[in-house]
Amino acid sequence: MLTALIARIIHASSRHAWAVLGVFALLVVLSVYYVVRDFAITTDVTQLMDANAAWARRDAAVTAAFPNRSDTTLAVISAPAPELAAEAARLLAARLRQQPRLFRAVSLGSGDDFFRRHGLLYLSTGEVRDLTGRLQDARALLNALARDPSLRGLANLLSVTLLTPLQTGRITLAGMAPLLDKSAGTVEAVLAGRPAALSWQAVADPDLPAEPALVDVRPVLDFSELLPGAPSSDAIRTAAADLRLREQYGATVALTGPIPLSDDEFASLQEGSPLTGAIPVVVVLVLLWRALRSGALVLAVCITMLGGLALTAALGLMMVGALNLISVAFAILFVGLGVDFGIQFGMRFREYRRHRASARQALLAAGRSIALPLSLAATATAFGFLAFLPTAYRGVAELGQIAGVGILFVALPACLTVLPALIRVLDPARSRGAPGYPRLAPLDRALQAHRTPVLVATLGIVAAGLPLLWRLEFDFDPLHLKNPHSESMVTLAKLSRSMDIGLDNVQVLRPSLAQAQAVAARLERLPEVAHALTAASLVPDDQPAKLAAIGAAARSLLPVLAQSPLAPATDLQRVAALRAAAQALRNAALDHPGAGAASARRLAQDLAALARADAATRTRAEHALAAPLRLALATLALALQAQPVTVDSLPADLRRNWIAPDGRVLVDISPKRVPGRETPLGAFVAAVQAVAPDASGGPISVRHAADLVIDAFVEAALLAVATIALLLWVAFRRVGDVLLTMVPLLVSSLATLEACVLLGIRLNFANIIALPLLLGVGVAFKIYYIMAWRSGRQAQLAHPLTQATVLSAATTGTAFGSLWLSNHPGTASMGKLLVLSLVCTLIGAVFFQPVLLGRPRPPPSSS
């Protein structure tokens, strides 16, 4: 009955070809208009998962309570000296705060004025007393620096204030060696025209790491754009350029964090030259020509496929509203399966056209021949995709919905109406050559002659590989899917080596500060935990003793630091001071041979060269030596004005990052790291959740997302197998025929997963999309063979069906192979697994299934 119905549809379509094409063209035009007008794509990755999962609700609760901690961009400012980097960061943050349309919040973190003022309170009491004592002992030095914080003043300092005490033994040349060497290195860089600056923080504390300054911003995002953070990122770079941070401070600005990482990943998907994009198109057209041997047939298939793609896109947008980063891949699936349907129909037409007087007769014969297998294959494939609808992985659920509906209600109807109408209008000429691979007939005979050993060997190899499946890994680290050469990833790698920016931290919410402190105390006792911080962690301990030491230093030093500096020196005064300092250093080296003498001679030579250079070079040296000094003195003056800190006295923005308006308090937990070793995040998560089962974020959320994805694919695979098996039983009414269709599909699937282990391919959030394609294409291929076998034809290697299947797989594989060549790891892994799954599916269809089927049973006697 179905065959007769489809035959009538094809007959009517070919008879009224122009009417069919007119309606199709109208629908395509309307679809294109709708897609262009209402196309929407959301790049919000949180929309890919079921928001009702317990871990997702915990994540959402933290984000709702503390919105400034999510969707952030980190501007990393590097400069020759940390003082310059910090000043550039302050200027950049001030400029960004003037753009509330682009930035919801801007924070300097530890560079904020609060921490600059109260930073000494976060040292131990002993460290505060030691530091303030040394500062008071250096009052004379600080007085000289504050009185003339310039190149002239520094030169005079070397020649008078520091070198004179050498005679009395109050200081030694060896003790001065670090300052002399750092100064010499800075002057040498200036003379060579390289960016340079003398860090007075590094002079005071050589063990202090040279960390970049950070500006943490929360940009306004538009997830309807492919790059939601691009406007804010561009604004940051524009602000840095307008402020001339590179020229003024030698500062560079690089962006990283969740938003730039995401944007760089999406941007890399758009990369590629026109030639790279054109090659797959050319290869697909060549393969279509090899299959159909007619320009008219190739044109008919391409028009049908492209028009159907437009219709499916419109239907998809109507169903889901906005595509997501996974469902947008429906285009690849539709093209792959649309080409398959077109090749199957076109080659069947080509076969019958050789023996029919007219294209119309060949169309009717091809329609009767292909009706049932094509309809069954399309329905089974659609069921395979629709099986993802009930799963919690929304990204693939929507992909399955669009692909399934597109196959069932667009691709198949178009293949049975539009394609015949186009063939009728274009009237392709007869093909001279017969389709198929007749040269492979001897191999067919050999395989059938040794059918049992071949089956046993194939099944034995697949069964022997089953233990490999226990080694199949899911890589749940999303950073492994990103381009390691992108700015955001390079910056993140550099930053991670010098500081902990909290990417692997997890969070816990508690109703009150007391409860938060209690759980933080328990967590900090765990060997896997480095820190568990709350708002109370921002309140320094032993403040009275520290404030007393700071107050004593302030009474002694603040008047010195507050004095007005001398008028700027003329260039002649700078030259004279440099020459005097150079001579004094040479004399010191002669008078005090031994440790430090070489450093003195080196700096003397450099200062003499600087005195001989031009004024512009000395101005650059002034900036390199004196600008960090002025900034360091200002920071010191601010640090000596510390006041008592309580939770209530914390700045509102800082307090808001730890205490929500409803009183809930955040506990931020970081893992303990061992230098040179990978952090055992699994043990960290298990230890934290043993104390706080409601912990969320970081590796907890990523791991739950990976489990959700795996569960979704297992659930969908079982549902797809069950529904497809039921469909085949309804169609075949033979359990044996159902098994003959499903067993090769199972064998191909197992072989694909086993090959992943052998080739070192790990499943991840990107390449797992290959599995629904494996299911959909695999079912279609297997049904073509079982239907040919049931009709009494032995569809072996020499048969035209094998050529159609091989060329169809090759056209689909061409597009996927181009993804494999991508520099983006996630895209490349997707292409690699797609190609591997297609190869295994193809081998299962054209080699294993014909051998499994054996010789066909006699066809039914009744029509």
Side-chain angles (χ1 to χ4, degrees):
M1 184 172 69
L2 179 62
T3 300
L5 174 62
I6 292 178
R8 287 197 296 271
I9 291 173
I10 293 175
H11 173 73
S13 299
S14 61
R15 182 178 179 183
H16 306 286
W18 286 110
V20 170
L21 296 179
V23 172
F24 181 66
L26 178 61
L27 291 175
V28 169
V29 169
L30 292 175
S31 297
V32 169
Y33 172 77
Y34 176 78
V35 171
V36 170
R37 189 192 66 181
D38 295 330
F39 180 80
I41 181 170
T42 175
T43 52
D44 186 356
V45 294
T46 62
Q47 300 297 317
L48 299 180
M49 305 291 176
D50 182 7
N52 293 318
W55 62 271
R57 290 199 303 271
R58 291 197 296 269
D59 277 356
V62 172
T63 300
F66 302 97
N68 289 348
R69 284 179 167 268
S70 63
D71 295 336
T72 58
T73 294
L74 204 60
V76 182
I77 294 90
S78 302
E83 295 93 335
L84 299 181
E87 181 64 14
R90 285 192 287 273
L91 291 174
L92 180 62
R95 178 63 62 90
L96 299 182
R97 290 188 180 109
Q98 297 171 9
Q99 304 178 64
R101 185 179 60 84
L102 290 173
F103 303 101
R104 300 180 191 274
V106 180
S107 169
L108 280 167
S110 60
D112 188 81
D113 281 350
F114 171 82
F115 290 105
R116 293 174 66 215
R117 179 184 296 272
H118 300 94
L120 294 178
L121 293 176
Y122 293 94
L123 301 177
S124 69
T125 304
E127 288 173 327
V128 172
R129 287 172 174 161
D130 177 65
L131 178 58
T132 54
R134 286 189 287 114
L135 287 172
Q136 291 179 81
D137 291 342
R139 186 177 188 278
L141 172 61
L142 290 172
N143 180 61
L145 291 173
R147 183 169 179 268
D148 192 1
S150 67
L151 183 60
R152 175 189 61 188
L154 292 172
N156 289 335
L157 180 70
L158 289 172
S159 59
V160 179
T161 308
L162 288 180
L163 296 182
T164 299
L166 284 172
Q167 308 302 325
T168 63
R170 289 172 53 198
I171 61 174
T172 64
L173 205 56
M176 291 178 59
L179 172 61
L180 300 178
D181 283 331
K182 290 181 182 297
S183 301
T186 303
V187 174
E188 288 164 3
V190 170
L191 291 171
R194 300 192 306 269
L198 175 62
S199 171
W200 291 86
Q201 293 179 14
V203 170
D205 186 357
D207 297 328
L208 191 68
E211 296 178 344
L214 306 179
V215 180
D216 195 346
V217 303
R218 184 167 184 253
V220 176
L221 302 174
D222 181 2
F223 287 112
S224 65
E225 297 292 334
L226 184 60
L227 304 179
S232 59
S233 296
D234 292 342
I236 293 172
R237 295 187 177 96
T238 300
D242 292 344
L243 292 168
R244 302 179 69 245
L245 298 183
R246 181 183 291 273
E247 294 81 1
Q248 295 293 327
Y249 302 100
T252 59
V253 179
L255 304 182
T256 189
I259 298 304
L261 284 167
S262 179
D263 281 358
D264 281 350
E265 182 175 14
F266 301 148
S268 68
L269 300 177
Q270 304 179 81
E271 294 176 355
S273 65
L275 180 61
T276 305
I279 289 176
V281 175
V282 172
V283 173
V284 167
L285 292 176
V286 170
L287 290 171
L288 278 172
W289 170 261
R290 291 282 301 167
L292 304 176
R293 301 292 179 140
S294 166
L297 279 177
V298 170
L299 179 62
V301 170
C302 289
I303 291 175
T304 304
M305 178 189 65
L306 294 176
L309 181 60
L311 292 171
T312 303
L315 283 175
L317 288 172
M318 291 178 187
M319 288 186 292
V320 302
L323 302 178
N324 61 56
L325 294 171
I326 293 179
S327 63
V328 74
F330 84 89
I332 296 177
L333 301 180
F334 185 89
V335 169
L337 291 164
V339 167
D340 172 60
F341 295 163
I343 287 178
Q344 295 292 340
F345 189 96
M347 288 193 66
R348 198 67 61 96
F349 168 80
R350 175 187 161 199
E351 182 181 357
Y352 284 105
R353 183 70 177 90
R354 295 177 62 246
H355 308 292
R356 297 293 191 277
S358 67
R360 183 181 174 191
Q361 292 177 343
L363 276 174
L364 295 176
R368 284 190 291 268
S369 173
I370 198 68
L372 189 57
L374 193 63
S375 301
L376 193 57
T379 305
T381 302
F383 280 11
F385 286 117
L386 292 172
F388 287 87
L389 265 177
T391 68
Y393 193 10
R394 284 187 54 192
V396 177
E398 291 182 2
L399 170 66
Q401 180 182 7
I402 297 171
V405 170
I407 289 167
L408 205 55
F409 296 102
V410 177
L412 178 61
C415 190
L416 300 178
T417 57
V418 178
L419 185 56
L422 283 167
I423 293 174
R424 182 75 174 85
V425 169
L426 297 174
D427 194 17
R430 293 183 181 181
S431 175
R432 295 182 180 180
Y437 300 120
R439 294 182 180 179
L440 296 180
L443 179 57
D444 281 333
R445 290 192 291 270
L447 289 173
Q448 289 299 324
H450 303 87
R451 178 170 174 259
T452 301
V454 170
L455 287 175
V456 171
T458 302
L459 294 175
I461 291 172
V462 174
L466 289 177
L468 292 173
L469 299 182
W470 273 262
R471 295 169 53 194
L472 184 65
E473 298 181 22
F474 191 97
D475 183 359
F476 61 89
D477 189 343
L479 293 180
H480 292 168
L481 303 181
K482 302 182 187 299
N483 183 357
H485 306 296
S486 65
E487 178 192 84
S488 57
M489 279 297 291
V490 170
T491 305
L492 180 64
K494 291 180 180 178
L495 205 57
S496 299
R497 288 193 291 268
S498 61
M499 64 175 68
D500 182 7
I501 58 174
L503 281 181
D504 295 324
N505 290 11
V506 299
Q507 292 78 40
V508 173
L509 283 180
R510 285 296 178 265
S512 68
L513 183 58
Q515 291 174 294
Q517 288 179 270
V519 74
R522 293 177 60 195
L523 289 167
E524 282 211 326
R525 289 195 289 269
L526 298 174
E528 297 85 359
V529 172
H531 301 290
L533 304 179
T534 69
S537 304
L538 300 178
V539 179
D541 58 3
D542 198 16
Q543 291 189 59
K546 295 176 184 177
L547 287 169
I550 295 170
R555 287 189 293 273
S556 172
L557 299 178
L558 281 179
V560 168
L561 298 173
Q563 67 181 303
S564 299
L566 296 177
T570 65
D571 190 53
L572 288 177
Q573 290 173 326
R574 293 189 303 193
V575 170
L578 289 169
R579 287 174 177 169
Q583 185 60 49
L585 286 166
R586 285 192 290 267
N587 293 338
L590 289 173
D591 295 339
H592 302 276
S599 299
R601 285 193 296 270
R602 175 189 175 193
L603 181 56
Q605 182 179 355
D606 293 335
L607 293 180
L610 184 59
R612 294 191 300 270
D614 56 31
T617 302
R618 284 186 289 276
T619 298
R620 292 199 305 273
E622 172 107 40
H623 184 75
L625 294 166
L629 172 61
R630 289 190 287 269
L631 294 171
L633 292 175
T635 299
L636 175 59
L638 188 61
L640 293 174
Q641 301 173 48
Q643 298 293 324
V645 175
T646 65
V647 171
D648 292 334
S649 71
L650 292 173
D653 290 345
L654 181 60
R655 179 186 168 89
R656 181 65 183 84
N657 286 335
W658 295 92
I659 302 177
D662 61 5
R664 285 181 298 169
V665 178
L666 186 75
V667 183
D668 192 64
I669 309 124
S670 57
K672 184 167 291 183
R673 302 181 184 277
V674 178
R677 291 173 56 187
E678 186 174 350
T679 303
L681 294 178
F684 166 67
V685 167
V688 169
Q689 289 191 309
V691 174
D694 58 337
S696 65
I700 294 177
S701 299
V702 172
R703 192 53 190 256
H704 278 304
D707 292 341
L708 182 148
V709 170
I710 294 172
D711 291 345
F713 276 92
V714 171
E715 178 186 345
L718 294 175
L719 181 59
V721 168
T723 54
I724 291 171
L726 180 61
L727 173 68
L728 295 177
W729 183 82
V730 171
F732 297 159
R733 296 292 180 175
R734 286 176 179 266
V735 174
D737 288 1
V738 174
L739 292 176
L740 288 173
T741 307
M742 299 301 292
V743 167
L745 181 63
L746 176 63
V747 170
S748 298
S749 302
L750 291 175
T752 299
L753 297 178
E754 292 167 0
C756 285
V757 178
L758 293 175
L759 296 175
I761 301 174
R762 296 194 290 180
L763 299 180
N764 55 52
F765 292 107
N767 65 21
I768 201 168
I769 197 176
L771 300 185
L773 179 75
L774 167 66
L775 197 62
V777 176
V779 166
F781 288 169
K782 307 303 185 290
I783 287 176
Y784 295 144
Y785 277 90
I786 190 72
M787 293 300 293
W789 180 79
R790 280 171 57 90
S791 66
R793 292 183 298 172
Q794 189 149 357
Q796 298 175 346
L797 295 176
H799 195 274
L801 176 58
T802 295
Q803 185 183 30
T805 301
V806 169
L807 293 174
S808 172
T811 54
T812 305
T814 297
F816 302 151
S818 65
L819 299 178
W820 192 348
L821 302 177
S822 171
N823 291 325
H824 182 268
T827 304
S829 71
M830 185 190 305
K832 187 185 300 184
L833 187 53
L834 285 167
V835 171
L836 177 62
S837 66
L838 273 174
V839 169
C840 293
T841 297
L842 186 62
I843 293 174
V846 303
F847 284 98
F848 179 73
Q849 188 167 21
V851 176
L852 179 67
L853 292 172
R855 298 191 179 279
R857 67 170 69 99
S861 57
S862 58
S863 58

